Amino acid sequence: MIRFRNPGTQYSTQVQVIKQLYASLGPQAYFTLEDMAIVIAQGRLMTAYGYAGDDALRLSNTDQDSMNSALMNAKMYAEVFRMLGWVTPYSEKSSYPLVFSYIGIHVALSEGDCSRLYEQCVLGINNPTQLTDKMRYDEKIRFFKCALRTFIDLGGIMYKHELCLGPMSINDEDEEAYQNMLIKIKTIRGSYTRLQTAFSDLANSLGMKTTPVDNCTRLPIGFMKSCNWVESVTNRSLYGKSMSCLKITQHGIETYEAIKDMYDLRLDQFNRLNKSAQMAMIRLGAYAMLSRSGYDISSVDRTT
């Protein structure tokens, strides 16, 4: 199962943080987690023990990095921003330090609403990537495209644990596996006991407790809500009791219809291209994202 390990921070907060980071660190050749922690804390975008700014940094300073709340907060943002394609490693040899990507700079310098570009970044998230080769999961999936399709095929409504049992645990390039996943969830529905058992069995198979598996839904749900693809609703038809569920919006349906037939380049296909073709695909992908987000790319469009 894909591990989305970060809390579901809001779109507005993510954009505010990347703007502040770029304003402070943009001139540097690269930046570290420590650099990020200082900017985020001094910008009062985090607290530690009830304090902000330099006091938060001072109170967070510990011998163990894992106990340093300012550093861990910076790491959380770094992982989210790498997922969105806003930052990338400075060197192919290690995950840190980082640099701002071309798309990340556009977000950081955006004026007013940049939600259309944000949405394109979320749609671009897929597994595996060059940064996930050491992860303890092997699903091959463009998750949010698959999740939107799953919502539609399951009547428009899902409970959050069905994300774990469904699109977070399959390879979406395997149509048979996808159809079997739908059958599995439909078989579970109607009984809350069956849902609890299936979710517990999933957690056991992963060697995890149910709570951290549940927490893995926070970020993808946060992304989907920020993009206005889903909304929270109270529903009792799925499992015979009143539950807070997720319902796909009209915009979510329209988004899936717009992307379902687009060419979906994955890492293994990209790696088979020669270096020149890879660089061309990177440029094409970046400019296509900007074009779909409303940017004028006529200055680089050779067809005009």
Side-chain angles (χ1 to χ4, degrees):
M1 188 191 82
I2 300 174
R3 315 293 204 275
F4 289 102
R5 295 191 179 278
N6 300 285
T9 51
Q10 294 294 315
Y11 149 77
S12 57
T13 304
Q14 293 167 357
V15 173
Q16 182 183 6
V17 171
I18 196 72
K19 284 178 177 290
Q20 191 146 345
L21 289 173
Y22 187 72
S24 298
L25 305 176
Q28 297 182 189
Y30 56 80
F31 55 93
T32 66
L33 283 179
E34 290 78 8
D35 293 330
M36 291 180 62
I38 292 171
V39 173
I40 292 171
Q42 291 183 340
R44 298 185 176 272
L45 296 171
M46 64 152 286
T47 60
Y49 308 101
Y51 291 86
D54 290 335
D55 288 333
L57 287 172
R58 177 177 54 81
L59 291 169
S60 296
N61 190 22
T62 64
D63 292 334
Q64 289 183 286
D65 286 348
S66 62
M67 299 296 290
N68 185 321
S69 58
L71 202 62
M72 291 301 99
N73 189 272
K75 185 176 182 181
M76 180 272 289
Y77 277 113
E79 292 181 356
V80 171
F81 293 163
R82 282 199 298 197
M83 203 179 301
L84 289 166
W86 295 354
V87 300
T88 191
Y90 175 73
S91 168
E92 294 182 359
K93 297 179 180 179
S94 60
S95 299
Y96 296 98
L98 300 168
V99 295
F100 295 99
S101 71
Y102 185 67
I103 293 295
I105 293 172
H106 275 75
V107 175
L109 295 180
S110 63
E111 298 180 0
D113 180 34
C114 63
S115 58
R116 290 176 64 185
L117 180 55
Y118 180 85
E119 184 176 41
Q120 291 297 311
C121 294
V122 176
L123 288 171
I125 295 172
N126 72 94
N127 286 281
T129 70
Q130 292 157 323
L131 301 175
T132 57
D133 57 346
K134 296 181 181 179
M135 296 297 183
R136 289 182 293 175
Y137 54 81
D138 58 6
E139 281 78 12
K140 296 181 178 180
I141 183 171
R142 190 171 297 277
F143 175 75
F144 292 99
K145 176 183 176 183
C146 184
L148 291 174
R149 181 187 179 190
T150 305
F151 268 101
I152 293 169
D153 288 344
L154 288 175
I157 296 180
M158 296 179 69
Y159 181 61
K160 62 180 180 177
H161 289 172
E162 293 178 342
L163 292 172
C164 302
L165 295 165
M168 289 171 69
S169 296
I170 65 163
N171 294 332
D172 69 338
E173 295 176 306
D174 186 336
E175 182 63 21
E176 182 178 358
Y178 176 81
Q179 294 300 329
N180 287 336
M181 175 269 288
L182 294 178
I183 293 171
K184 177 181 178 180
I185 292 178
K186 290 176 181 178
T187 302
I188 293 170
R189 284 185 169 181
S191 168
Y192 186 66
T193 299
R194 286 199 297 268
L195 175 66
Q196 288 181 306
T197 300
F199 190 66
S200 179
D201 288 346
L202 174 64
N204 289 336
S205 72
L206 298 171
M208 299 170 65
K209 300 292 186 182
T210 55
T211 297
V213 178
D214 177 272
N215 287 342
C216 288
T217 66
R218 294 175 64 188
L219 186 64
I221 290 173
F223 276 142
M224 289 191 285
K225 284 187 173 181
S226 292
C227 292
N228 190 30
W229 296 336
V230 302
E231 60 186 358
S232 293
V233 296
T234 300
N235 179 279
R236 62 179 304 111
S237 65
L238 296 186
Y239 291 100
K241 60 179 293 184
S242 183
M243 301 170 67
S244 178
C245 296
L246 300 164
K247 179 181 179 181
I248 192 168
T249 63
Q250 184 60 36
H251 179 61
I253 294 171
E254 292 170 354
T255 298
Y256 178 72
E257 289 298 318
I259 66 172
K260 67 177 183 179
D261 295 323
M262 284 186 181
Y263 183 71
D264 190 350
L265 183 70
R266 301 295 176 94
L267 182 62
D268 57 345
Q269 298 168 299
F270 179 80
N271 285 337
R272 289 196 293 268
L273 300 173
N274 61 47
K275 192 65 175 180
S276 177
Q278 287 180 347
M279 297 308 294
M281 291 300 294
I282 290 171
R283 290 192 295 271
L284 176 62
Y287 287 127
M289 289 174 66
L290 293 172
S291 178
R292 290 192 294 268
S293 303
Y295 285 79
D296 179 3
I297 64 166
S298 58
S299 62
V300 294
D301 187 355
R302 294 183 179 180
T303 64
T304 59

